[in-house]
Amino acid sequence: MSGELTSLEAVLEKHLPEDELAEVRRILYGKSAKGLEISEESINRGEEGGYEVAGWRMTADLEETRPPRKVTLALIQNQIVLPTDAPIVDQITALHKRVGSILENAGKSGANIVCLQEAWTMPFAFCTREKHPWTQFAEPAETGATTAFLSEIAAKYRMVIISPILERDEDHGDILWNTAVIIDHNGKFLGKTRKNHIPRVGDFNESTYYSEGNTGHRVFGTIYGKLAVNICYGRHHPQNWMMYGVNGAEIVFNPSATVGALSEPMWPIEARNAAIANSYFTCAINRVGTEQFPREFTSADGKPAHKDFGHFYGSSYVAAPDGSRTPGLSRTKDGLLLVEVDLNLCRQIKDKWCFRMTQRLDLYAESLTAAVKLDYKPDVHQ
């Protein structure tokens, strides 16, 4: 990762005078997020573990008829721990240990809901188009070792944990899915949701392994609020974001694995746009680091074969329905982002901007019903 920028924020802080920096942040990020007080112990645990710990607060107006609905969200981004040619069980165990220690810090720091990155228990090997050994990382959503491991941590700290994994569906022919498991604050399996949109771009050869999900746009009611999970490539589809809002989500998590050469200009925009358009909070989580694979593969673009996917640039952040967002985590380093939000802001922004009131679902439904028919003709007038 030599030569990679640590973060956009670090560059701005280094080169801009303080008064100009404040104005640039306002333009880039909207209403300034306030610093969240983080204990010295939490910071020290991060330093000892070699990962960044950052905290922010996103506030709402006080109301006379409703108390604040403050929830602390935690996002974890991380590199793989062992080389990709290490034994499979060793790789999984090392990631459990690494991420487990960060989860412990999140719990001790007061996190209520934690989301991990896409396919967090494995390298993102779908670029290789090889089935083995990579499919051996798959496990059942309900009864797999990862769900059992996280259930103990969830119950210990009364945290809801979102765990995106490669799922082995043993009830339906042992097929694979890209799945997020939701574990409730008691450590119980609450449910699962699958990736709706599968990329076919660059080295993202995921359709070699699994198909589009079949769970729709599920929203999960927890003691902390209603959440949904829009896995990775689904962030490029506004209708996907919209349907989670239609189903009542207050927070939508976007666990991802994406590289700088392909998507980085889009990254700061898409989750933030979704938060604005749907009057909910969004959480964008991306893995970090460059993963080397044992054998070369090509991108079908005429360029030389290579052994790495590119640089996963982290930069995880939270966006609010008023258009504001937090600074991102590092582009090069593991990190824990803690963000206290007030869910009352969702309704306050609905009242202010009326995006949900002025939405024309009836019109969209009529138009889309026509558009999916074989005899559809675009409504173009010349």
Side-chain angles (χ1 to χ4, degrees):
M1 288 181 289
S2 60
E4 292 285 351
L5 288 177
T6 302
S7 69
L8 173 63
E9 290 81 9
V11 174
L12 294 174
E13 290 172 4
K14 180 178 179 180
H15 294 285
L16 289 181
E18 188 171 342
D19 56 338
E20 291 184 6
L21 177 62
E23 184 66 2
V24 167
R25 281 176 168 164
R26 182 192 67 80
I27 294 169
L28 285 178
Y29 297 148
K31 183 177 71 175
S32 179
K34 304 178 186 300
L36 177 66
E37 185 175 345
I38 301 174
S39 70
E40 185 176 346
E41 291 81 1
S42 178
I43 297 295
N44 290 340
R45 286 190 289 266
E47 291 177 350
E48 292 169 4
Y51 60 90
E52 175 186 7
V53 179
W56 302 96
R57 291 189 299 122
M58 308 183 92
T59 60
D61 292 336
L62 292 176
E63 301 183 18
E64 295 184 31
T65 57
R66 291 193 303 169
R69 297 180 61 211
K70 293 182 179 180
V71 177
T72 299
L73 311 175
L75 314 183
I76 295 175
Q77 65 178 43
N78 61 277
Q79 306 172 60
I80 58 173
V81 178
L82 297 181
T84 59
D85 58 358
I88 302 297
V89 173
D90 291 352
Q91 290 190 59
I92 295 171
T93 300
L95 281 164
H96 280 190
K97 182 178 179 181
R98 172 60 168 171
V99 174
S101 68
I102 304 176
L103 279 166
E104 290 278 349
N105 198 4
K108 292 173 182 177
S109 301
N112 302 126
I113 307 174
V114 187
C115 188
L116 308 179
Q117 66 199 23
E118 182 183 20
W120 74 272
T121 61
M122 63 181 291
F124 208 72
F126 310 118
C127 52
T128 68
R129 296 188 294 276
E130 299 170 344
K131 297 301 180 69
H132 291 285
W134 315 119
T135 57
Q136 296 176 52
F137 282 93
E139 58 184 291
E142 295 85 351
T143 60
T146 295
T147 298
F149 167 70
L150 294 178
S151 292
E152 294 185 9
I153 300 175
K156 180 178 180 180
Y157 295 105
R158 291 180 61 82
M159 289 191 302
V160 173
I161 299 179
I162 300 166
S163 170
I165 61 168
L166 181 63
E167 179 192 3
R168 174 74 69 183
D169 189 353
E170 296 179 336
D171 292 332
H172 299 90
D174 283 333
I175 62 175
L176 300 175
W177 301 98
N178 187 315
T179 299
V181 177
I182 292 80
I183 302 167
D184 76 8
H185 67 288
N186 292 314
K188 304 297 184 183
F189 174 86
L190 179 59
K192 63 185 178 184
T193 186
R194 291 167 173 156
K195 188 172 182 173
N196 282 333
H197 298 276
I198 307 302
R200 293 163 177 84
V201 56
D203 286 330
F204 289 85
N205 299 305
E206 295 170 55
S207 58
T208 302
Y209 301 86
Y210 42 77
S211 297
E212 284 75 13
N214 60 359
T215 54
H217 298 88
R218 291 178 175 172
V219 171
F220 300 89
T222 75
I223 64 167
Y224 302 117
K226 291 180 287 185
L227 64 87
V229 189
N230 180 9
I231 302 174
C232 198
Y233 199 70
R235 74 180 178 278
H236 303 307
H237 295 267
Q239 299 88 349
N240 207 44
W241 290 107
M242 181 184 75
M243 286 307 303
Y244 295 115
V246 169
N247 284 339
E250 297 171 299
I251 314 160
V252 180
F253 294 87
N254 177 231
S256 299
T258 187
V259 292
L262 181 69
S263 66
E264 196 161 12
M266 304 176 186
W267 181 254
I269 301 169
E270 289 171 311
R272 189 178 182 187
N273 281 353
I276 296 167
N278 298 288
S279 303
Y280 52 46
F281 288 90
T282 59
C283 303
I285 309 100
N286 187 26
R287 69 173 56 203
V288 68
T290 302
E291 301 172 358
Q292 298 282 339
F293 294 95
R295 288 163 293 280
E296 291 184 336
F297 53 90
T298 69
S299 304
D301 58 2
K303 296 181 180 179
H306 44 281
K307 290 187 176 183
D308 71 88
F309 210 141
H311 177 67
F312 295 101
Y313 52 82
S315 306
S316 304
Y317 68 94
V318 173
D322 63 0
S324 62
R325 56 153 288 187
T326 69
L329 287 176
S330 170
R331 296 180 70 259
T332 59
K333 189 176 182 180
D334 292 8
L336 168 63
L337 179 63
L338 297 160
V339 183
E340 180 189 89
V341 303
D342 187 340
L343 296 181
N344 280 354
L345 186 62
C346 297
R347 184 186 292 179
Q348 291 174 9
I349 296 302
K350 289 176 185 177
D351 289 347
K352 178 178 181 178
W353 281 99
C354 301
F355 290 149
R356 298 299 295 277
M357 183 182 76
T358 58
Q359 202 173 41
R360 291 296 307 277
L361 296 180
D362 55 339
L363 178 61
Y364 310 151
E366 179 183 349
S367 299
L368 290 171
T369 299
V372 298
K373 294 181 179 178
L374 293 176
D375 61 352
Y376 176 72
K377 301 292 183 183
D379 188 15
V380 178
H381 297 259
Q382 294 178 333

